Amino acid sequence: MKDTYTLPSAADMHVHLRNAPGPIASLVTPTIRPAGIDTVFVMPNLAPVPVTSVDAALEYKSALEAIDPSVNYLMSLYLHSSITPEEIAKAKKAGIAGVKAYPKGATTNSQWGVVSFEPFDEVLKAMEKEGIVLNLHGEVPSDSKEGVTVMNAESRFLPTLRSLVGKYPKLKIVLEHCTTGEAVEAVREFGEDVVGTITAHHLSLLVDDWSANVHHYCKPSAKSPEDRRALLQAVVSSKGKFFLGTDSAPHDISSKKGKGNTAAGVFTQPYALGYVLKALEEGIARGDISDSDVNDEALAGFFSSYGRKFYGLPPSDKKILLKKDGATVEESLKSEQAEIVPYRAGEKIWSVEWL
C-alpha cells in the first residue's frame, strides 16, 4: 500500500446520528465532513419514536442540517405497520432514499420492528415500483430454543433475503453491515439491484475482541478470522456489489459501561476511512489480501462511487488526501451532556485533508 491516497470524497451509506437536536447528534454530526465524507445515509431507529413518516424524516433532516449544512443527508423510514403504499409514493417525491427493516428485537431500538414481511407486501410492491431501497438489518433475533445466537443470526437470515429477492425481483435491496463469508456469497448470487454494505470495524474485529471490550460490541457482532478475510476480499474486489456503510453507532459511555447490558454499537465516524485503510494494511500483513489488491480504483469505488451510483447520485467532483499515521484517535469525544469513546482510541490512524 502507498503512504498517501488522493481519492474522491466519500459517501457513508449507513450512519447513526441519534436524535437531533440532542447531545449525541451535536457531538458526532460535526465529525462527518472532517472524516472526508460529504454524503451519509441516516438510520431511522430513533427513540422513543422511530422515523416512520415522510414528515418526520424531513424534520429530522432539517435538524441535522442545522448542526452541519455542508453534509448531504440521505434520509430513511423505519419499516413499520403504519407505513402505507401512499406514504411510499410521498417518500419518493420527497427524496427519501430508503426504508430500513429491523427484525423485531434483533438490535438497538428494534422493538417496533418486523416479525414477518408478509404484512408489508403492498408496501414492498410500492417500493419496487417507486425505486425506493429496502435496507435490511440481516439478522434474526437470538433464540436459544431455535439455536440462534449472535454468531449465526446473520446466516439464519439469508433465506429471508433470498425469498425477498425472489418475490420482488426489481426491488433494490441492501444487505447492511455484512459480517460473514456466507452473507458476501449471498449478495454475489444476485444482480445489480442487490448489494451489501461493509463497516470499518468488521474489517478488523473478531469475536474475541468484542467479548473482551464493550466498545467493540455491536450488532451484528464480529465473527471469525475466515469471515473477516471474506469481508476484506469483498472490499478490494467489490466491482459495485459492496460499498462503505460504517454503521457508526455512538453511545454515551454510561450506556457502554453502566449497569445492565451494554449498548450495541461501535463509534467510527471521525476516522471511518482511516479505519478501513488500517484494516487493509493489517489484512495484507496476515496474508488475507495482497498488496496489489489495494489500488486507487478499488478504494474510490468502495468509499465513494459504488454507493453513490446505487442510490442514483452523481459521482463526487471533490477530492480528499489520506495520509498514513497522520492522526491519532482521541480517547473520547466529550461535551457537558455526553462522552463517546471512538474505535481504536489512542491509536495512530490515517488522516484526511480536503483538497
Side-chain angles (χ1 to χ4, degrees), residues 6-62:
T6 300
L7 299 171
S9 60
D12 184 350
M13 296 310 190
H14 186 134
V15 304
H16 294 273
L17 301 176
R18 307 308 185 200
N19 296 53
I24 292 182
S26 296
L27 264 182
V28 304
T29 305
T31 70
I32 295 169
R33 193 169 178 86
I37 297 164
D38 61 12
T39 298
V40 292
F41 183 87
V42 183
M43 293 296 110
N45 60 330
L46 304 184
V49 180
V51 180
T52 59
S53 71
V54 173
D55 291 345
L58 296 179
E59 182 179 354
Y60 185 24
K61 182 177 183 177
S62 294

Side-chain angles (χ1 to χ4, degrees), residues 294-307:
V294 184
N295 54 63
D296 288 37
E297 180 181 0
L299 293 175
F302 181 76
F303 284 150
S304 185
S305 61
Y306 297 152

Side-chain angles (χ1 to χ4, degrees), residues 1-2 4-8 232-233 235-239 276-277 280-281 284 289-306 322 350:
M1 288 179 63
K2 300 186 294 186
T4 63
Y5 290 95
T6 300
L7 299 171
L232 288 163
Q233 292 172 350
V235 168
V236 297
S237 64
S238 166
K239 303 299 183 185
V276 173
L277 292 174
L280 293 173
E281 287 182 89
I284 291 169
I289 54 175
S290 69
D291 188 75
S292 60
D293 290 332
V294 184
N295 54 63
D296 288 37
E297 180 181 0
L299 293 175
F302 181 76
F303 284 150
S304 185
S305 61
Y306 297 152
L322 295 114
W350 291 66

Side-chain angles (χ1 to χ4, degrees), residues 77-91:
L77 302 181
Y78 189 115
L79 187 60
H80 184 267
S81 59
S82 63
I83 293 181
T84 63
E86 292 73 24
E87 193 71 8
I88 294 300
K90 182 179 177 181

Side-chain angles (χ1 to χ4, degrees), residues 194-324:
V194 180
V195 299
T197 57
I198 297 176
T199 77
H201 55 282
H202 285 121
L203 295 174
S204 53
L205 290 177
L206 296 174
V207 57
D208 289 0
D209 298 307
W210 63 258
S211 65
N213 186 331
V214 294
H215 299 297
H216 293 165
Y217 175 64
C218 58
K219 298 287 293 291
S221 300
K223 307 294 194 306
S224 71
E226 293 77 17
D227 292 314
R228 181 177 63 186
R229 183 182 307 118
L231 298 178
L232 288 163
Q233 292 172 350
V235 168
V236 297
S237 64
S238 166
K239 303 299 183 185
K241 291 295 287 182
F242 301 93
F243 47 80
L244 180 67
T246 62
D247 191 20
S248 177
H251 291 281
D252 184 75
I253 193 168
S254 63
S255 296
K256 297 295 278 185
K257 287 193 169 185
K259 294 180 179 179
N261 293 340
T262 188
V266 178
F267 178 52
T268 56
Q269 201 71 69
Y271 301 98
L273 309 186
Y275 293 136
V276 173
L277 292 174
K278 186 78 168 180
L280 293 173
E281 287 182 89
E282 293 166 345
I284 291 169
R286 288 191 305 268
D288 289 341
I289 54 175
S290 69
D291 188 75
S292 60
D293 290 332
V294 184
N295 54 63
D296 288 37
E297 180 181 0
L299 293 175
F302 181 76
F303 284 150
S304 185
S305 61
Y306 297 152
R308 293 177 196 274
K309 182 179 179 181
F310 186 79
Y311 281 97
L313 304 176
S316 173
D317 59 0
K318 304 178 184 69
K319 295 290 184 181
I320 55 174
L321 175 66
L322 295 114
K323 295 182 180 180
K324 181 178 178 177

Side-chain angles (χ1 to χ4, degrees), residues 35-211:
I37 297 164
D38 61 12
T39 298
V40 292
F41 183 87
V42 183
M43 293 296 110
N45 60 330
L46 304 184
V49 180
V51 180
T52 59
S53 71
V54 173
D55 291 345
L58 296 179
E59 182 179 354
Y60 185 24
K61 182 177 183 177
S62 294
L64 294 172
E65 289 174 335
I67 299 172
D68 187 350
S70 68
V71 175
N72 178 25
Y73 303 96
L74 305 180
M75 306 308 293
S76 62
L77 302 181
Y78 189 115
L79 187 60
H80 184 267
S81 59
S82 63
I83 293 181
T84 63
E86 292 73 24
E87 193 71 8
I88 294 300
K90 182 179 177 181
K92 177 66 174 180
K93 292 178 181 177
I96 303 301
V99 177
K100 180 67 180 286
Y102 292 93
K104 187 174 182 178
T107 190
T108 303
N109 297 338
S110 62
Q111 59 267 44
W112 309 283
V114 173
V115 175
S116 166
F117 283 94
E118 290 184 7
F120 298 99
D121 179 60
E122 293 302 316
V123 169
L124 294 171
K125 287 178 179 176
M127 291 171 60
E128 191 176 28
K129 175 184 175 182
E130 298 289 354
I132 297 282
V133 175
L134 174 64
N135 303 87
L136 295 172
H137 181 109
E139 291 187 292
V140 298
S142 294
D143 186 331
S144 59
K145 291 183 179 180
E146 297 297 326
V148 180
T149 72
V150 293
M151 296 303 291
N152 63 6
E154 182 174 88
S155 298
R156 292 289 190 94
F157 181 84
L158 297 179
T160 300
L161 170 66
R162 295 184 174 98
S163 175
L164 287 167
V165 175
K167 192 171 184 179
Y168 309 99
K170 295 182 180 178
L171 180 63
K172 294 173 72 72
I173 296 176
V174 180
L175 184 62
E176 301 284 356
H177 40 51
C178 298
T179 65
T180 62
E182 290 174 89
V184 169
E185 290 307 310
V187 170
R188 292 194 187 278
E189 288 177 20
F190 305 109
E192 62 182 12
D193 285 338
V194 180
V195 299
T197 57
I198 297 176
T199 77
H201 55 282
H202 285 121
L203 295 174
S204 53
L205 290 177
L206 296 174
V207 57
D208 289 0
D209 298 307
W210 63 258
S211 65

